[in-house]
Amino acid sequence: MNLFPIRDCLRRVGEKKIALIVYGAVFACFVVLGVCFIKTPAIYGYHYNLCDKFVDRICYSERSVVVIFFERSAGHVLLLALALSSGVNVFAVAVPMVIFVYRAYTFGGSLYIFFTVYRLSGALIVGILYLPVHLLIDAVLLCAILFSLNRAPRFSFCKHDFIEILRDFIVLGVLILLICLLEAVLLLALFHPLGNII
């Protein structure tokens, strides 16, 4: 049995083209909603704090890039584990879907903050770091959600089903680590001094 079924994962994603289009459209709609409702004071403040933390704790932090890499990787891998483990029950899949929609909504609001508050530096952060990393992570999480949606109706709590979840976790987890590594390299090359490697 192939423990690293990358080709199988790609095949299963390819089989869900319509679902990918639908969820992509939902993601885009909530990004737009995040931009549209940003003017509400409480929502504006919430998104401003998110962006401020990203700038201070990620982009221009004096912390080690290695520490940031492990923190970001752990957070995203935890979301992946939640998305894949929800495949044990049809109703449980609603949880990662809500998280996915929330990420889209806050993504839209954060884009507005970056461009209107941080202006040129915000555009640089978005174009080089925030936008590509966020979308790549969302794509991996969407794959996990699609796998769980497909698995939930037939999940039977047997060894084979748990092994399938583990295999998906390994493949998608490696992808997340590579994305976070790319983020760390970009941080080191463009935002952090060389002394912040360790």
Side-chain angles (χ1 to χ4, degrees):
M1 183 181 291
N2 185 8
L3 295 178
F4 299 96
I6 298 175
R7 184 176 298 176
D8 179 59
C9 281
L10 293 175
R11 177 187 58 79
R12 285 185 289 152
V13 170
E15 291 174 352
K16 302 290 183 181
K17 290 179 182 176
I18 295 177
L20 282 173
I21 293 171
V22 170
Y23 283 108
V26 170
F27 184 88
C29 287
F30 275 89
V31 169
V32 172
L33 288 174
V35 175
C36 292
F37 289 104
I38 192 68
K39 293 295 186 180
T40 306
I43 295 176
Y44 184 91
Y46 178 73
H47 283 88
Y48 181 84
N49 287 334
L50 288 179
C51 294
D52 193 51
K53 284 182 179 179
F54 187 82
V55 171
D56 288 341
R57 293 181 57 82
I58 305 298
C59 296
Y60 299 113
S61 173
E62 294 184 358
R63 297 183 306 148
S64 163
V65 172
V66 175
V67 171
I68 293 172
F69 166 75
F70 281 113
E71 284 182 354
R72 302 276 289 169
S73 298
H76 292 131
V77 167
L78 182 62
L79 289 179
L80 174 65
L82 178 63
L84 288 173
S85 62
S86 69
V88 302
N89 186 277
V90 175
F91 298 105
V93 182
V95 176
M97 290 175 69
V98 169
I99 294 173
F100 182 73
V101 167
Y102 165 80
R103 282 178 59 85
Y105 182 79
T106 55
F107 179 62
S110 297
L111 288 178
Y112 180 90
I113 297 294
F114 275 124
F115 282 107
T116 58
V117 175
Y118 295 94
R119 300 187 183 276
L120 185 59
S121 62
L124 179 67
I125 290 170
V126 168
I128 295 176
L129 191 67
Y130 185 75
L131 179 71
V133 170
H134 201 291
L135 291 180
L136 287 171
I137 293 292
D138 287 329
V140 174
L141 293 177
L142 178 55
C143 290
I145 292 171
L146 291 176
F147 292 165
S148 292
L149 282 169
N150 186 57
R151 180 178 291 121
R154 58 177 177 78
F155 191 83
S156 59
F157 290 93
C158 64
K159 181 179 178 181
H160 176 266
D161 288 346
F162 283 111
I163 289 176
E164 278 191 348
I165 291 177
L166 179 61
R167 287 162 58 195
D168 288 343
F169 179 77
I170 291 172
V171 173
L172 297 180
V174 168
L175 289 177
I176 283 182
L177 291 177
L178 290 175
I179 294 167
C180 290
L181 180 61
L182 171 64
E183 181 185 53
V185 170
L186 291 173
L187 282 172
L188 187 62
L190 301 171
F191 297 99
H192 284 238
L194 288 177
N196 280 4
I197 296 177
I198 56 175

